[in-house]
Amino acid sequence: MLLSLVLFFSNCHKEQLFDEQVEDIFWIENAGAQMPVWIEGNTNSKKFMVIIHGGPGGESRTYNLASPFSDPIEAEVAVAYWDQRNAGASRGNTDESKLTVEQMVDDLDKVVDALSLRYGNDIEIYLMGHSWGGFLGTAYLLDSERQAKISGWIEIAGGHDFPLFAKEAAILMKQLAIDQIPTGKSVEFWEEVLTFTETINLQNISQELSNEINGYGKRVQNVLEFNDVIQSTPFLEKGEGFAYWFQSPYHPIANAVNQGQSNNIIVDQVWDVSLTPELNKITIPCLFLYGKYDAIVPPALGVSAFEKISTPIDDKKFILLEKSGHFLTHEPDVIVAEILEFVGE
Amino acid sequence: MKKQIIILITSFFFLSQIHAQENKQAITTKKNRFDISLSYYGEMMLHPGVKTGLGYPLLSKDNQKTITKKRNNVTVLKTTTHQLIGQVNLGFYRHVRNHTNTFLNVEVGYRIKLERQKSEKPTRGMQFEVLAGIGPSYYFLTGDTYVFDGEQTSVKKNAGNLAWMKTVSISMGGRIPNQWKKAIYWYFKPGAFWEKPVNLGSLVHPVLELGFRYEL
């Protein structure tokens, strides 16, 4: 009786594949990992945008929770929220040797294949990589067979070149410190940033220093938000936090544990990896969105990618988000408008 | 002085007669009883589930004390019971749009029951427990699973995996007075379980149980 009850509950979800507001879930089992893919939004559009979340080791549900971003996009297209292996709500019995960029690229390929298997070969699939997702998405697109499955690439604050973003973050933070000290706001902090950045030898950034720069980048973002230089749009309505923690598919503890395990393992592999020399292999339509005040992954990376890819000029676009840092919630209206225009909605 | 001593002795005698007459009894040998329990099992508090268990006191020791109040001639029987308990449980919970987890486990722990029975009235009391357990669990993923195995792709329903869960919990509860003299307790039991393997290690799950235990 208990088993019947369990099977009843485990199947207790709507499996309507096509509608204007679908909530579907399926899993990818690949090389020991079981990764959830939640489909939310307008599947009637036959356009699917796969979220490649940040981290490494972050999770995808945050992008759904950021309703000023997700609601208007889901109204027009279907969004596939995929938790990468050893991240978010992913499960399985895997090991550290499988936590590699190559394996994660293969996982993403399986997500793309599963979307076509589930929703048909006539769907259009777009990839949207944010932060670390920008690295993973770019790595995926470097193979022409895989690239052929994708209708467009959207990179938001994507870090496809670790050495470049450490260097550019140091340069940007120094300039921000010089600009912000005369405003009289958070002067002590900016003086600390200035002192730190002046000691950096840009031609020789070690992994330890790269991590330190990243740490300063996060603090810079917080201070700029606090001083209203970066536009901050709250993405949690009253009461949503409770529901997010306790009643959504998200599991905060799993997310924290997975991030703690994955982040260092992956960063150790990629901290000195640059995909810039191979960007010319990308020929599909691309949209690059970078925040002017993003001291975590600075806009110079977007400019560089825009210039290096082989996509025809009419099919690529770079947008500098004037009041943004690293997150999508800073100027969601601009990001949403650009994405919907890009996917042809 | 003599008058004062007489008053003191009289007062002592009088007060002792008024307040109580205590009668400590030896350890009793009440027959141990199986109990069954049924509870709401909330992983992360609000991922709902059900847990049912069969328990038995492996060791039990009662200390009883009878207090008689002379003024209204009421006798109160106070019983303190220390138990080493064992329990076999079966349960599941559902994490919405994520997975359903089922489990079978054995818990052992310590229970203390503090009960009092006043004359013919129903027994009242409290119980406290500390428990640790272990057992297998099996989760079923919600929705279809696309399994990629080399060049082969298949779609599975209710795909899942076996894992182990270790549990710890504390519990507080009370005996529900009833006219049938049945030992029924409510309890509130916060705890946690460690699920292993999950990805590269284990995953801790906070749990809240609210339930009833009935001594057969």
Side-chain angles (χ1 to χ4, degrees), chain B residues 83-113:
Chain B
Q83 293 180 323
L84 174 68
I85 52 172
Q87 223 167 287
V88 180
N89 305 296
L90 187 64
F92 78 96
Y93 69 84
R94 181 175 181 245
H95 183 178
V96 64
R97 295 182 73 208
N98 196 314
H99 70 282
T100 301
N101 202 3
T102 57
F103 56 86
L104 171 69
N105 68 14
V106 177
E107 287 181 296
V108 289
Y110 167 74
R111 176 190 295 146
I112 182 170
K113 293 196 288 186

Side-chain angles (χ1 to χ4, degrees), chain B residues 42-93:
Chain B
E43 191 261 356
M44 288 294 293
M45 291 203 296
L46 294 177
H47 299 157
V50 174
K51 179 178 162 185
T52 180
L54 178 68
Y56 188 75
L58 305 169
L59 291 171
S60 188
K61 190 175 109 175
D62 289 354
N63 287 317
Q64 291 190 325
K65 192 162 65 172
T66 309
I67 299 167
T68 306
K69 294 181 180 175
K70 284 279 180 179
R71 191 169 55 180
N72 45 12
N73 201 29
V74 171
T75 304
V76 179
L77 176 65
K78 289 187 171 180
T79 309
T80 304
T81 308
H82 302 272
Q83 293 180 323
L84 174 68
I85 52 172
Q87 223 167 287
V88 180
N89 305 296
L90 187 64
F92 78 96
Y93 69 84

Side-chain angles (χ1 to χ4, degrees), chain A residues 185-230:
Chain A
K185 292 177 180 172
S186 309
V187 173
E188 201 177 315
F189 170 73
W190 290 116
E191 283 174 348
E192 183 191 330
V193 171
L194 190 59
T195 307
F196 169 68
T197 52
E198 280 175 341
T199 63
I200 296 171
N201 174 2
L202 295 176
Q203 306 311 315
N204 185 21
I205 296 177
S206 64
Q207 184 179 5
E208 194 185 357
L209 183 57
S210 175
N211 291 340
E212 206 176 346
I213 292 170
N214 194 249
Y216 265 100
K218 289 171 187 168
R219 289 174 62 197
V220 162
Q221 168 146 307
N222 292 340
V223 171
L224 289 173
E225 269 191 59
F226 180 76
N227 291 333
D228 292 328
V229 177
I230 288 175

Side-chain angles (χ1 to χ4, degrees), chain A residues 83-301:
Chain A
D83 278 353
Q84 296 157 24
R85 66 172 51 229
N86 215 95
S90 283
R91 295 182 146 260
N93 185 6
T94 183
D95 59 66
E96 204 176 312
S97 68
K98 296 203 174 82
L99 204 53
T100 62
V101 174
E102 292 74 21
Q103 183 59 63
M104 293 169 92
V105 163
D106 184 59
D107 293 341
L108 176 54
D109 199 35
K110 301 299 188 272
V111 173
V112 170
D113 289 348
L115 280 171
S116 295
L117 283 169
R118 192 169 181 82
Y119 292 96
N121 288 321
D122 58 337
I123 62 169
E124 292 176 21
I125 300 174
Y126 295 83
L127 300 182
M128 192 215 90
H130 172 239
S131 193
W132 152 253
F135 184 97
L136 192 53
T138 303
Y140 176 86
L141 294 169
L142 297 181
D143 178 90
S144 59
E145 270 185 44
R146 290 194 294 255
Q147 197 178 149
K149 300 175 187 176
I150 306 302
S151 301
W153 167 231
I154 302 158
E155 188 172 16
I156 303 180
H160 53 264
D161 187 329
F162 272 70
L164 182 64
F165 84 61
K167 181 182 168 185
E168 290 295 338
I171 294 169
L172 179 63
M173 283 193 290
K174 186 177 178 182
Q175 189 57 51
L176 285 170
I178 292 166
D179 294 345
Q180 292 297 312
I181 288 170
T183 67
K185 292 177 180 172
S186 309
V187 173
E188 201 177 315
F189 170 73
W190 290 116
E191 283 174 348
E192 183 191 330
V193 171
L194 190 59
T195 307
F196 169 68
T197 52
E198 280 175 341
T199 63
I200 296 171
N201 174 2
L202 295 176
Q203 306 311 315
N204 185 21
I205 296 177
S206 64
Q207 184 179 5
E208 194 185 357
L209 183 57
S210 175
N211 291 340
E212 206 176 346
I213 292 170
N214 194 249
Y216 265 100
K218 289 171 187 168
R219 289 174 62 197
V220 162
Q221 168 146 307
N222 292 340
V223 171
L224 289 173
E225 269 191 59
F226 180 76
N227 291 333
D228 292 328
V229 177
I230 288 175
Q231 178 176 294
S232 186
T233 310
F235 64 97
L236 273 177
E237 297 287 331
K238 201 174 179 184
E240 276 186 346
F242 181 82
Y244 180 57
W245 271 65
F246 297 107
Q247 293 172 314
S248 80
Y250 172 78
H251 198 291
I253 299 173
N255 182 42
V257 169
N258 288 332
Q259 179 145 23
Q261 291 170 347
S262 300
N263 194 280
N264 289 342
I265 296 170
I266 299 171
V267 170
D268 281 352
Q269 296 169 39
V270 297
W271 74 273
D272 57 351
V273 177
S274 164
L275 300 179
T276 300
E278 296 182 86
L279 286 174
N280 60 350
K281 293 178 181 171
I282 296 177
T283 57
I284 58 170
C286 292
L287 171 65
F288 301 98
L289 296 145
Y290 282 75
K292 183 178 174 182
Y293 298 103
D294 188 351
I296 299 171
V297 181
L301 270 85

Side-chain angles (χ1 to χ4, degrees), chain B residues 4-197:
Chain B
Q4 285 171 320
I5 292 170
I6 290 168
I7 290 169
L8 189 68
I9 292 170
T10 312
S11 305
F12 179 76
F13 178 77
F14 182 72
L15 285 170
S16 66
Q17 290 301 308
I18 279 182
H19 282 103
Q21 180 184 325
E22 288 198 2
N23 177 17
K24 286 194 180 177
Q25 290 187 351
I27 295 164
T28 61
T29 51
K30 255 198 329 194
K31 193 183 171 190
N32 286 341
R33 292 167 183 275
F34 277 99
D35 62 60
I36 52 171
S37 57
L38 182 69
S39 63
Y40 164 81
Y41 187 86
E43 191 261 356
M44 288 294 293
M45 291 203 296
L46 294 177
H47 299 157
V50 174
K51 179 178 162 185
T52 180
L54 178 68
Y56 188 75
L58 305 169
L59 291 171
S60 188
K61 190 175 109 175
D62 289 354
N63 287 317
Q64 291 190 325
K65 192 162 65 172
T66 309
I67 299 167
T68 306
K69 294 181 180 175
K70 284 279 180 179
R71 191 169 55 180
N72 45 12
N73 201 29
V74 171
T75 304
V76 179
L77 176 65
K78 289 187 171 180
T79 309
T80 304
T81 308
H82 302 272
Q83 293 180 323
L84 174 68
I85 52 172
Q87 223 167 287
V88 180
N89 305 296
L90 187 64
F92 78 96
Y93 69 84
R94 181 175 181 245
H95 183 178
V96 64
R97 295 182 73 208
N98 196 314
H99 70 282
T100 301
N101 202 3
T102 57
F103 56 86
L104 171 69
N105 68 14
V106 177
E107 287 181 296
V108 289
Y110 167 74
R111 176 190 295 146
I112 182 170
K113 293 196 288 186
L114 308 166
E115 293 177 324
R116 60 200 295 264
Q117 187 182 12
K118 202 187 279 184
S119 297
E120 293 304 308
K121 289 188 176 173
T123 306
R124 293 170 181 273
M126 300 288 288
Q127 65 164 33
F128 301 91
E129 297 171 347
V130 182
L131 293 151
I134 191 165
S137 68
Y138 193 94
Y139 62 82
F140 299 90
L141 300 173
T142 304
D144 295 337
T145 300
Y146 291 80
V147 182
F148 293 88
D149 185 8
E151 295 302 305
Q152 301 290 316
T153 307
S154 57
V155 184
K156 269 193 202 170
K157 279 210 182 292
N158 301 313
N161 260 339
L162 190 65
W164 283 96
M165 64 192 286
K166 290 185 214 165
T167 67
V168 289
S169 58
I170 53 170
S171 152
M172 189 194 91
R175 181 161 173 163
I176 301 170
N178 61 78
Q179 57 180 320
W180 308 284
K181 296 184 178 175
K182 300 290 185 189
I184 305 170
Y185 296 83
W186 62 267
Y187 60 87
F188 166 84
K189 189 176 175 184
F193 73 85
W194 281 260
E195 185 186 5
K196 191 175 182 175

